[in-house]
Amino acid sequence: MSMIEFQNVTFSYEAGKPVLKDLTFAVEKGESVGLIGANGAGKSTIMKLIPGLLDSMGRVRVDGISVGKDTAAEVRKKVGFVLQDPDSQMFMPTVLEDMIFGPMNYGLTKDEAVAKADRILAEMGLSDLRNRHNHRISGGEKKMAAIATILAMEPEAVIMDEPTASLDPYNRRTVINMIRSRSETKLIASHDLDMILDTCSRVILISGGVLAADGPAERILRDRALLEANRMELPLSYAGRASDPDR
Ligand SMILES: Nc1ncnc2c1ncn2[C@@H]1O[C@H](COP(=O)(O)OP(=O)(O)OP(=O)(O)O)[C@@H](O)[C@H]1O
Ligand SMILES: [Mg+2]
């Protein structure tokens, strides 16, 4: 059974203007899949459909469960999500309180949840953020805190929308290393194609709400013509290669 499955999914924010059109794909358990495409292609919309933050025509399934109002709680237990705008998902006053809220809801004692949060904060080099107020930290710090919060839940799958946007190079590398070290199923939307190349074995390219390509990361991210036709560029690690015929 696939971890995430879209079957003929069409979605419109405004009637008559679909932004996802008859989209069908699946992410298997344990896979790491990059979701790429130009601004407005539909990546965040796809991400929001998975935990049921939006409601579509067609079927979205998580581990076989059809996503809908009655299943949202069950689905969110399986899938941790980091949204493009971290503000929209922090609701406790401090970073630590946000991090222990989910795990305590799922049955950990406060001490256990705090110990786990502290471990992840330390691993991510974020211990200084522990008692900071969520609305008085920087954009990049919020992104890091949101990622730490999701990892503390130990979900079966994580979906991350632009996890490295607004991160400095050191934090970006920390996040890449965290992603690489975890075995959950992952779906990662980003314009940071070098990060996608470092973390994902498969890439799905979305263009105008339809699936434009789906295949091995090493093939799609090397395809200069395909990327440029979709308003993207080769990752730096490929663009710099002497073997690149266009250089
Ligand atoms: N709340 C909304 N109401 C109406 N239209 C929206 C809304 N959110 C997004 N859209 C439109 O839906 C389309 C897909 O947007 P989406 O946010 O999924 O794109 P994206 O691929 O995540 O882009 P980006 O790379 O800029 O994050 C765009 O045309 C966008 O203008
Ligand atoms: Mg987006």
Side-chain angles (χ1 to χ4, degrees):
M1 192 185 300
S2 304
M3 192 69 218
I4 297 167
E5 194 181 352
F6 276 54
Q7 202 181 327
N8 306 110
V9 171
T10 294
F11 177 83
S12 315
Y13 290 99
E14 295 162 49
K17 289 189 196 162
V19 298
L20 299 181
K21 297 159 201 157
D22 201 28
L23 197 61
T24 297
F25 69 89
V27 176
E28 305 308 327
K29 284 181 187 161
E31 262 193 312
S32 293
V33 178
L35 190 59
I36 67 172
N39 288 137
K43 304 179 298 297
S44 295
T45 306
I46 290 171
M47 294 299 206
K48 287 179 187 165
L49 286 165
I50 296 167
L53 298 173
L54 298 173
D55 210 9
S56 79
M57 282 167 56
R59 199 169 291 288
V60 179
R61 284 200 193 87
V62 168
D63 202 11
I65 305 165
S66 186
V67 176
K69 281 196 179 63
D70 352 327
T71 55
E74 199 182 344
V75 164
R76 286 178 206 178
K77 201 164 172 175
K78 288 181 179 281
V79 185
F81 52 96
V82 176
L83 300 178
Q84 193 163 7
D85 167 20
D87 268 337
S88 56
Q89 61 184 129
M90 308 181 125
F91 50 101
M92 299 298 283
T94 69
V95 171
L96 180 70
E97 285 167 290
D98 240 351
M99 284 186 75
I100 64 175
F101 182 85
M104 282 173 67
N105 242 349
Y106 294 154
L108 290 199
T109 66
K110 185 167 184 189
D111 284 350
E112 288 165 342
V114 168
K116 179 186 282 190
D118 278 334
R119 196 165 65 237
I120 289 169
L121 287 169
E123 250 179 274
M124 293 181 70
L126 300 177
S127 299
D128 289 351
L129 287 185
R130 186 182 194 270
N131 300 313
R132 299 283 301 281
H133 197 286
N134 275 323
H135 296 291
R136 291 186 206 128
I137 58 179
S138 77
E141 287 168 341
K142 276 180 204 165
K143 198 92 200 195
M144 292 297 278
I147 294 170
T149 300
I150 289 318
L151 297 182
M153 308 268 284
E154 295 180 356
E156 288 174 49
V158 288
I159 55 179
M160 298 186 170
D161 199 350
E162 290 293 358
T164 54
S166 73
L167 298 187
D168 65 33
Y170 185 88
N171 277 340
R172 174 178 174 278
R173 184 51 57 188
T174 302
V175 166
I176 290 173
N177 290 340
M178 288 299 282
I179 293 173
R180 286 172 62 100
S181 72
R182 320 259 317 185
S183 56
E184 296 99 336
T185 307
K186 295 163 209 131
L187 181 64
I188 305 172
S190 187
H191 298 292
D192 180 351
L193 300 190
D194 285 282
M195 178 272 287
I196 295 289
L197 192 57
D198 270 356
T199 55
C200 298
S201 55
R202 176 179 156 208
V203 165
I204 292 175
L205 166 57
I206 301 293
S207 175
V210 301
L211 201 144
D214 180 353
E218 295 203 351
R219 176 163 63 73
I220 292 186
L221 297 178
R222 246 183 226 283
D223 189 337
R224 178 194 288 264
L226 175 69
L227 294 176
E228 290 185 354
N230 288 284
R231 302 167 54 132
M232 286 173 286
E233 295 177 348
L234 286 176
L236 290 176
S237 44
Y238 285 161
R241 294 262 172 94
S243 60
D244 177 2
D246 294 342
R247 210 161 71 102

